[in-house]
Amino acid sequence: MATKKFKTEVTDLLQLIIHSLYSNREIFLRELISNASDAIDKLKYLSLVDDGALKGFSFDPRIDISFTEDGKRTLTIKDNGIGMNEEELNGNLGTIASSGTRKFLSSLTDEQKKDSNLIGQFGVGFYSAFMVAEKIEVISRKAGEDKAWKWTSDGKSSYEIEEAQRDSQGTTITLHLTEDGYTYANRYEIESLVKKYSDHIAYPIYLEYDKVNYNYEKKDEKGEPGKTSEHVIEQINTCSALWRRAKSEIKDEEYKEFYKNNYYDSEDPLFYIHTKAEGATEYVTLFYIPAKAPFDMNYADYRPGVKLYVKRVYITDDDKTLLPTYLRFVRGIIDSEDLPLNVSREILQENRVMASIRNSSVKKLLSEFKKISENNPELYDKFIKEYNRPLKEGLYSDYANRDALLELVRYHSSSRDGYVSLKSYKEHMPSDQKAIYYLTGGKEETLKSSPLLEAYKKKGYEVLIMDDDIDEIVIGSVYEYDKLPLKAINKAGAMDDLKSEGDDNSSEEKKDLVEKIKKALSDKVKDVRLSSRLVDTPAVVVNDDNDPSAQMQRLMKQMGGPDVGDIKPILEINASSPLIRKIEESQDDEYVRKLSEIVLSSAMLQEGIMPDDPVAYTRAISELLSK
Ligand code: ADP
């Protein structure tokens, strides 16, 4: 038997792990199972590709967990993977095998050493078991070799190696648990940890335990039910890393079952997207789109729906950085081959591999949505009914994918039922139309009956009806679609587009009328202008090009935004309407003032804006009517 000292960095690492990861010590089981699974992966691989002794090596991969109750306090994890010989035990468990880890460790300041998130980023692996064990025994036999070796340590400063017995290849790790660690030596704890972290390990994990059966028919002398105990070995993982299987081998039913079992949904998903990426970064993604938007989709503290795995080992589902916020309705899995197992959340955000997976996943999702919109409009309708709003958020927040998102979002229209795309809007444009027109700031019905639409209808121009509360904020940041400018028709400037040649002199002609109304409404409007876009309605209110709309002002106030002061509208009048003519003809200042105020208040009401003084408005109307 040889006693050897750990390399100093191992002693450091052990101290570090115990101090910074202790509150999360349950991860030890995940680490050991993951090592076991890696060891099986390696042997399997060699049995397939090795030129030498291991070619064609046949075995039934499995991982076995057992524990002793009472007294002895041990927990054992056994695999039949590649195993380790003496040299490898020294190299892997006596030093820190990875040079990256070593470098990282020596670069940490004392302050950083206290940060469990930083520590978590490298493979703490095997050593994490010392958080729950006062002594660890590893008996291992390398595949293709005759001798087995036993490595033993208390995790302080040294370990021992001696020859041992093991019938076949593989590794058996026995933890002599601390009093505290002993809480993990029971069936329920182990099953729940395996479910939580290792359910998708590709090899079966068996748990060996004594099952106690109670017999209530047959009571003992004390009147207690009769007890018999039975030794059982039971598989405790579902072993269903579905996403790792080839697409062609997975039935539609299996995809759906997997979704329903894992995402607590009784309905089938709308659709799913399974992607395997090979090359510079290797990963698999399996994304599902729920039929109904998750109930918490519009809460700030929504639960993210995508889980991150590294080599089939579950890492986290609590990470809002796996996909951008606007795709928070997506459910599914990202499984990377390249990330380190203990990648922490803080590190994830800056990790290059993760960033590249995330970018490609977003692109993939958006391009699949587009395909569905083209090939399966009925399905796309259902999709857009649930997810139009988050996609619109993306227009605002994901500049890099804005063009793709512009093809996906849908709006109501002044001339068609249902939803239209910008593409179809463009296709419907008459040849003289040079911009995309839209109207924001109210309910669909109010917007659709707005007098502002009159002139556009007359010209055969369609107007997009943007009735979602976020539309105005979002669309204001999108200046064009496919080289066409987007213009709000409730802005003063939009009117210029509708002028025909020869229209212009009228403003000179009606100068007196405009001045008259401006004087009557002096403190209530920013300006009064002659409109070329009204057909039947006496007047409309619009906003100066750079002013926010009334709806937007209200929203800004609600959200506690900066006080923009009292922004007044511009009144556009229709000189040929009888009501405006009355104003023009009257010489009575008081009558002109009253009529002008009624015109202004009515124009505001048409846009769903409450006049400042509704009582004065109704009183003025009654007075006029009774005259
Ligand atoms: P990591 O798994 O991150 O490399 P560990 O400290 O967990 O770090 O393990 C160190 C090395 O020990 C592994 O890379 C592997 O070569 C070896 N090892 C650990 N557990 C086993 C096992 N069950 N079977 C074979 N080799 C193992």
Side-chain angles (χ1 to χ4, degrees):
M1 179 163 74
T3 301
K4 301 192 175 188
K5 281 217 157 327
F6 281 124
K7 290 269 158 57
T8 37
E9 67 249 16
V10 175
T11 319
D12 287 352
L13 177 60
L14 282 164
Q15 284 308 310
L16 217 55
I17 289 171
I18 288 169
H19 285 124
S20 45
L21 293 178
Y22 194 74
S23 61
N24 196 19
R25 59 191 181 283
E26 64 180 31
I27 58 153
F28 81 92
L29 190 63
R30 171 188 85 184
E31 300 292 319
L32 296 181
I33 291 175
S34 164
N35 280 350
S37 167
D38 284 350
I40 295 173
D41 276 344
K42 282 180 200 159
L43 182 54
K44 245 191 145 178
Y45 176 78
L46 287 175
S47 73
L48 296 172
V49 304
D50 193 29
D51 291 335
L54 293 176
K55 174 95 183 167
F57 188 92
S58 138
F59 71 116
D60 259 338
R62 62 184 286 158
I63 298 166
D64 282 274
I65 303 178
S66 59
F67 55 89
T68 51
E69 281 167 300
D70 316 326
K72 275 193 190 148
R73 301 205 307 224
T74 65
L75 178 64
T76 301
I77 293 102
K78 187 171 127 192
D79 68 69
N80 57 359
I82 184 82
M84 287 174 277
N85 58 25
E86 185 183 14
E87 196 185 335
E88 286 164 334
L89 279 168
N90 275 315
N92 293 334
L93 305 186
T95 57
I96 295 176
S98 140
S99 64
T101 304
R102 216 176 306 143
K103 233 187 258 159
F104 176 80
L105 198 59
S106 62
S107 75
L108 288 181
T109 62
D110 284 348
E111 215 24 61
Q112 288 169 324
K113 282 182 187 166
K114 291 186 194 123
D115 182 352
S116 61
N117 284 315
L118 275 175
I119 308 308
Q121 87 165 292
F122 57 82
V124 287
F126 170 79
Y127 298 110
S128 62
F130 280 110
M131 291 189 291
V132 296
E134 54 200 16
K135 187 172 112 182
I136 301 179
E137 264 171 41
V138 180
I139 297 178
S140 196
R141 178 168 155 191
K142 179 141 192 187
E145 298 186 11
D146 302 331
K147 280 189 180 164
W149 298 89
K150 179 160 116 182
W151 178 102
T152 318
S153 173
D154 62 2
K156 295 221 164 70
S157 59
S158 62
Y159 61 91
E160 282 158 8
I161 284 199
E162 63 193 301
E163 222 183 304
Q165 274 300 310
R166 203 180 189 283
D167 288 344
S168 54
Q169 95 289 345
T171 302
T172 305
I173 296 179
T174 302
L175 310 181
H176 295 264
L177 299 164
T178 59
E179 211 174 317
D180 208 13
Y182 189 49
T183 50
Y184 294 104
N186 71 75
R187 175 189 166 193
Y188 299 102
E189 198 65 37
I190 294 168
E191 275 186 16
S192 84
L193 289 180
V194 167
K195 268 260 160 305
K196 183 166 173 190
Y197 293 112
S198 316
D199 200 35
H200 299 291
I201 289 286
Y203 309 109
I205 302 171
Y206 294 96
L207 180 64
E208 193 178 339
Y209 64 96
D210 288 322
K211 191 176 193 170
V212 180
N213 300 308
Y214 292 97
N215 188 341
Y216 292 92
E217 308 285 291
K218 216 170 157 189
K219 304 218 160 114
D220 64 13
E221 319 83 74
K222 287 189 206 142
E224 306 273 332
K227 264 205 283 190
T228 51
S229 147
E230 175 192 1
H231 196 70
V232 293
I233 299 176
E234 209 171 62
Q235 186 175 338
I236 54 172
N237 63 333
T238 48
C239 199
S240 60
L242 177 85
W243 64 89
R244 284 274 158 185
R245 287 161 50 195
K247 259 164 133 170
S248 55
E249 286 172 13
I250 310 175
K251 294 194 203 85
D252 183 51
E253 258 330 292
E254 286 180 274
Y255 277 118
K256 289 177 176 165
E257 275 310 306
F258 181 85
Y259 169 76
K260 289 192 275 193
N261 288 336
N262 286 282
Y263 298 95
Y264 312 104
D265 195 346
S266 54
E267 251 183 285
D268 283 341
L270 272 188
F271 52 89
Y272 47 83
I273 303 161
H274 189 184
T275 313
K276 182 167 187 179
E278 275 158 338
T281 43
E282 272 182 48
Y283 62 88
V284 175
T285 54
L286 173 56
F287 294 130
Y288 289 95
I289 308 302
K292 290 275 167 337
F295 76 97
D296 59 354
M297 185 172 80
N298 292 325
Y299 298 171
D301 60 345
Y302 69 91
R303 228 185 31 219
V306 174
K307 293 183 179 180
L308 177 69
Y309 286 76
V310 172
K311 295 183 185 151
R312 292 183 301 279
V313 178
Y314 168 73
I315 304 295
T316 177
D317 71 349
D318 182 30
D319 203 298
K320 297 192 172 183
T321 64
L322 298 179
L323 283 182
T325 315
Y326 72 92
L327 291 174
R328 59 191 176 273
F329 56 89
V330 177
R331 299 289 177 252
I333 277 148
I334 297 176
D335 187 356
S336 158
E337 284 297 312
D338 310 311
L339 285 169
L341 191 60
N342 273 335
V343 70
S344 79
R345 251 178 266 161
E346 279 70 11
I347 300 300
L348 258 187
Q349 294 179 17
E350 290 147 28
N351 186 287
R352 247 184 41 246
V353 175
M354 191 60 229
S356 131
I357 295 176
R358 176 180 144 122
N359 284 341
S360 330
S361 297
V362 172
K363 291 217 155 52
K364 178 73 186 173
L365 282 162
L366 300 185
S367 76
E368 286 297 319
F369 297 164
K370 173 128 187 274
K371 264 191 221 156
I372 289 173
S373 76
E374 290 162 353
N375 305 331
N376 193 344
E378 213 172 291
L379 181 61
Y380 196 72
D381 267 0
K382 287 187 190 160
F383 170 77
I384 221 58
K385 233 181 100 216
E386 301 294 323
Y387 306 117
N388 204 17
R389 194 195 142 104
L391 293 179
K392 287 173 180 173
E393 288 172 31
L395 283 179
Y396 190 74
S397 61
D398 188 0
Y399 188 79
N401 290 301
R402 178 174 282 177
D403 287 345
L405 284 157
L406 279 172
E407 300 295 346
L408 298 175
V409 294
R410 297 289 183 265
Y411 298 102
H412 292 298
S413 144
S414 60
S415 54
R416 285 185 271 167
D417 287 335
Y419 279 118
V420 303
S421 66
L422 291 167
K423 187 165 180 231
S424 126
Y425 180 96
K426 197 180 171 194
E427 286 162 2
H428 274 71
M429 279 171 36
S431 59
D432 66 334
Q433 190 180 337
K434 297 287 181 288
I436 295 174
Y437 298 104
Y438 65 86
L439 182 57
T440 56
K443 292 205 188 76
E444 188 187 352
E445 284 67 35
T446 319
L447 294 177
K448 276 191 162 171
S449 54
S450 165
L452 284 169
L453 296 171
E454 288 173 6
Y456 295 86
K457 279 193 184 137
K458 210 168 143 205
K459 290 204 90 152
Y461 294 178
E462 185 173 19
V463 175
L464 294 175
I465 301 297
M466 302 200 176
D467 56 331
D468 226 328
D469 56 355
I470 61 163
D471 278 334
E472 181 159 353
I473 304 172
V474 168
I475 209 70
S477 70
V478 180
Y479 300 103
E480 56 172 39
Y481 164 76
D482 202 8
K483 304 202 186 73
L484 281 173
L486 273 88
K487 291 192 178 176
I489 65 163
N490 55 0
K491 299 274 178 188
M495 193 169 69
D496 300 342
D497 291 9
L498 293 172
K499 278 197 183 126
S500 323
E501 279 160 55
D503 267 4
D504 265 352
N505 327 347
S506 54
S507 61
E508 269 306 304
E509 272 172 38
K510 300 287 176 189
K511 217 173 150 191
D512 290 347
L513 169 63
V514 167
E515 283 307 317
K516 198 175 188 179
I517 299 178
K518 210 189 276 185
K519 207 173 123 217
L521 295 173
S522 61
D523 55 338
K524 297 195 168 70
V525 293
K526 195 165 186 174
D527 199 7
V528 177
R529 291 175 193 168
L530 201 63
S531 178
S532 55
R533 57 174 147 186
L534 297 177
V535 183
D536 297 322
T537 314
V540 289
V541 285
V542 296
N543 297 291
D544 212 353
D545 286 352
N546 297 318
D547 284 349
S549 73
Q551 243 73 24
M552 182 76 139
Q553 291 171 42
R554 200 182 308 148
L555 207 64
M556 278 159 40
K557 228 178 248 165
Q558 275 170 11
M559 300 194 308
D563 189 359
V564 285
D566 201 9
I567 296 173
K568 292 171 190 158
I570 293 171
L571 185 71
E572 281 186 22
I573 55 166
N574 174 5
S576 52
S577 109
L579 200 57
I580 303 294
R581 277 218 210 104
K582 271 208 169 121
I583 298 180
E584 194 174 16
E585 287 155 12
S586 170
Q587 303 302 325
D588 177 349
D589 281 355
E590 186 53 22
Y591 181 70
V592 166
R593 193 183 58 77
K594 280 221 170 103
L595 259 189
S596 302
E597 280 181 7
I598 289 177
V599 167
L600 172 64
S601 297
S602 309
M604 288 170 77
L605 279 172
Q606 278 163 3
E607 305 303 319
I609 311 162
M610 196 64 155
D612 288 341
D613 190 351
V615 178
Y617 169 69
T618 44
R619 195 177 295 141
I621 290 197
S622 331
E623 256 174 53
L624 280 175
L625 285 175
S626 56
K627 257 185 194 165

